[in-house]
């Protein structure tokens, strides 16, 4: 079977230990703590507990009886007269804390997860009850000055605990077996019977889309609580089942504006830790690899470096003894985890049957495929695209949006099911005017689909898809729609061929520039990220300059330093004298970034100024020299900047020295003495770093 009754046996244990007992626990504090924990257990509401009710009720009843004992001790201020009593009570506190946590998990945790491990959890309840029984057996009750009623109550609790049995309801086992059978059928590509799903989910009191979403979230959290890989795989299968049933039984979700989906951040929006950035590109590494010198770079960056004829390590300058690139899996996993915490996308890649460490199994894959087919089939029924107010249509596309955000399997199955041509129909201006939320859902779904590399090709080759995205970028009904269209362009430009193709389209470039100039901060960042990608290709830089990207970057530089300076660096590096001339007006703003910007922005600003000085000649150098305090800032960078920042700062200082020497009538390669500058930089004469 897909899931056996013995599954879920290697759960990570919570840290129940002496950490729950303060090192200096006075007698009165210990008794008060026991009274408090038994009060908490006694007050647990078991009304909503569907599984293991008998086991939970049994331990709650015993906690209530113990509560009477501790209440009597507190009320009468009865001292704990021996170390044996204190040790017994300390151990009892730990067991009671475990019991409370276990019941809380049963109530708040995933219903399907606890259903599948019902026997294991029932056994855990039994073990904890027997531990209480052992503690009560050695508890020297006669040493305490208890009244007869409380004394007899302790004897009663001791007897009840000693007679404890494993309590599992027959109905719980039957329901568990039904779920196992359904998952086995899904694994064999048999579509589950709808009435059977209704019965299972009704018995678990999962009766609408919101409760399904809560169950999926609980299952996703549950994955982190297990050590055994097989168990994690089975939980993934359960997630697939719930996701499929959510769409089939309860229909598509209705999007609530009050519960907006958190916008997926782009890497450019978050300052990544220095160790996670490639020393060459300064971008977040997607595929870190180690070269012969032991240094780590992003694969694309170091490969481009080597393909350009270099045989040295960019960071150390040492000659590479071989060109083999060794994947740094440990660092990649750390970057993936960081991206997940920051809610930014991370490039997916299959490694040894896993996708970024994500586990899948056959049942989960089949359930995902069934879900995608079901939603796309429903979308096919809406042939009349003039019916913009159709709530069901809104719901179906919203559900596709959610599913496409989930994982690569979902993205693949949705695209393979023919969803992209169907979605393209709803990218028009008319759709945005009549139903803005529908336009947002559609373009965001395409954005989520584009994260998968294979889907980039599908989108670019689907008739009308690119034009539709560009139309939303330029004339979208909401800023959210425009921003997600820009993010889609950013995603598509991840492929070099598409980057050049998109960069040649004036409508694409002007749309991004306009959004970067006028949109809200999040939308501007999406647009700037796409422009930065385009600036990485020499063929597209001319179009960026022609359409006014440099002027826009200079205009918004103060508000978005890192993104804009990185774009300017790329443009002047690949755009020739025309780009440098257009960027001339931004030199003073680069000086502000050089002085007050982040480390990353200062590095890019320095590199940009070096390129501009080299290409633009004396007039550019004179303008750089006129920046107030530039020499002090350069020396600060040389002393405390990154390796790249120090190197670029040293180069900039050397250029300024040569220019000053030329003004003073000293021969200086590359500069003439015909220019008179109103401001001459004072440069220290100590040795420079090469």
């Amino acid at each position: 079977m897909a899931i056996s009754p013995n599954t879920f046996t290697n759960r990570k244990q919570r840290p129940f230990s002496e950490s729950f007992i303060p090192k200096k626990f006075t007698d009165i504090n210990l008794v008060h703590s026991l009274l408090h924990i038994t009060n908490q257990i006694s007050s647990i509401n078991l009304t909503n507990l569907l599984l293991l009710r008998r086991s939970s009720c049994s331990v709650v009843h015993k906690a209530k009886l113990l509560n009477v004992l501790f209440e009597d001790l507190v009320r009468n201020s009865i001292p704990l007269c021996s170390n044996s009593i204190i040790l017994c009570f300390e151990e009892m506190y730990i067991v009671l804390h475990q019991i409370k946590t276990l019941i809380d998990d049963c109530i708040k945790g995933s219903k399907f997860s606890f259903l599948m491990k019902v026997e294991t959890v029932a056994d855990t309840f039994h073990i904890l009850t027997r531990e209480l029984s052992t503690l009560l057996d050695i508890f020297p009750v006669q040493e305490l000055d208890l009244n007869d009623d409380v004394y007899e109550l302790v004897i009663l609790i001791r007897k009840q605990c000693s007679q404890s049995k494993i309590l599992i309801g027959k109905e719980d086992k039957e329901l568990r077996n039904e779920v196992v059978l359904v998952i086995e059928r899904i694994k064999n590509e048999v579509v589950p019977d709808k009435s059977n799903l209704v019965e299972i989910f009704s018995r678990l009191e999962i009766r609408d889309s919101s409760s399904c979403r809560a169950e999926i979230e609980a299952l996703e959290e549950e994955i982190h609580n297990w050590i055994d890989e097989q168990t994690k795989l089975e939980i993934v299968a359960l997630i697939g089942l719930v996701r499929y049933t959510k769409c089939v039984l309860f229909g598509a979700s209705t999007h609530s504006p009050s519960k907006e989906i958190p916008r997926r951040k782009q890497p450019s929006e978050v300052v990544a830790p220095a160790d996670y950035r490639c020393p060459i590109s300064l971008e977040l590494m997607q595929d870190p690899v180690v070269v012969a010198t032991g240094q780590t770079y992003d694969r694309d960056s170091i490969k481009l470096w080597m393909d350009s004829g270099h045989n040295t390590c960019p960071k150390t300058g040492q000659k590479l003894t071989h060109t083999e690139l060794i994947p740094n899996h440990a660092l990649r996993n750390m970057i993936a985890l960081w991206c997940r915490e920051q809610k930014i996308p991370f490039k997916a890649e299959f490694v040894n049957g896993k996708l970024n460490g994500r586990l899948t199994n056959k049942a989960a894959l089949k359930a995902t495929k069934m879900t995608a087919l079901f939603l796309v089939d429903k979308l096919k029924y809406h042939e009349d695209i003039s019916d913009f107010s159709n709530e069901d249509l809104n719901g179906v596309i919203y559900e596709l949006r959610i599913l496409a955000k989930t994982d690569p399997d979902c993205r693949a199955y949705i695209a393979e099911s023919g969803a992209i041509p169907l979605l393209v129909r709803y990218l028009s201006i008319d759709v945005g005017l009549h139903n803005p939320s529908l336009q947002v859902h559609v373009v965001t779904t395409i954005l989520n689909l584009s994260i998968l590399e294979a889907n980039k090709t599908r989108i670019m080759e689907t008739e009308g898809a690119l034009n539709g995205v560009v139309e939303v970028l330029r004339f979208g009904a909401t800023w959210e729609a425009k921003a997600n269209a820009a993010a889609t362009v950013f995603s598509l430009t991840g492929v070099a061929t598409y980057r050049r193709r998109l960069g040649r389209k004036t409508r694409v470039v002007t749309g991004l520039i306009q959004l970067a100039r006028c949109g809200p901060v999040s939308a501007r960042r999406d647009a700037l990220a796409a422009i930065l990608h385009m600036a990485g290709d020499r063929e597209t830089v001319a179009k960026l300059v022609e359409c006014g990207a440099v002027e826009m970057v200079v205009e918004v530089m103060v508000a978005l330093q890192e993104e804009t300076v990185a774009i300017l660096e790329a443009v002047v590096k690949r755009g020739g004298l025309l780009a440098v001339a257009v960027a001339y007006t931004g030199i003073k703003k680069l000086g502000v970034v050089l002085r007050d910007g982040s480390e990353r922005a200062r590095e890019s600003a320095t590199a940009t100024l070096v390129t501009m000085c080299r290409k633009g000649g004396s007039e550019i150098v004179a303008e750089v020299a006129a920046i107030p305090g530039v020499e002090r800032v350069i020396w600060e960078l040389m002393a405390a900047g990154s390796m790249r920042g120090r190197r670029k700062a040293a180069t900039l200082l050397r250029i300024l020295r040569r220019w000053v020497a030329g003004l003073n009538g000293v021969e200086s390669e590359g500069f003439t003495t015909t220019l008179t500058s109103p401001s001459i930089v004072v440069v220290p004469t100590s040795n420079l770093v090469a």
Side-chain angles (χ1 to χ4, degrees), residues 122 167 185 194 200 203 210 228 237 276 288 319 321 336 366 434 449 451-452 463 483 485 539 563 599 601 630 674 688:
L167 302 174
R185 288 172 177 168
K194 190 173 181 179
I200 291 172
R203 288 173 65 180
S210 60
D228 180 54
Y276 295 172
K319 186 174 181 179
T321 56
K366 298 302 179 184
H434 292 85
L449 291 175
I451 296 172
L452 186 66
E463 184 179 356
E539 294 181 19
E563 297 87 346
E599 179 183 341
V630 66
T674 58
L688 293 176

Side-chain angles (χ1 to χ4, degrees), residues 425-440:
R425 300 180 300 180
Y426 307 105
L427 288 172
S428 66
I429 297 175
D430 289 338
V431 172
L433 291 174
H434 292 85
N435 195 337
S437 62
L438 178 61
Q439 187 183 63
V440 171

Side-chain angles (χ1 to χ4, degrees), residues 134 205 216 281 285 310 323 346 355 368 532 564 657 662 676:
T134 301
E205 295 188 0
I216 290 172
S281 67
M285 287 188 280
H310 297 92
T323 58
F346 187 68
L355 180 61
T368 297
L532 180 58
T564 51
R657 275 187 161 186
T676 301

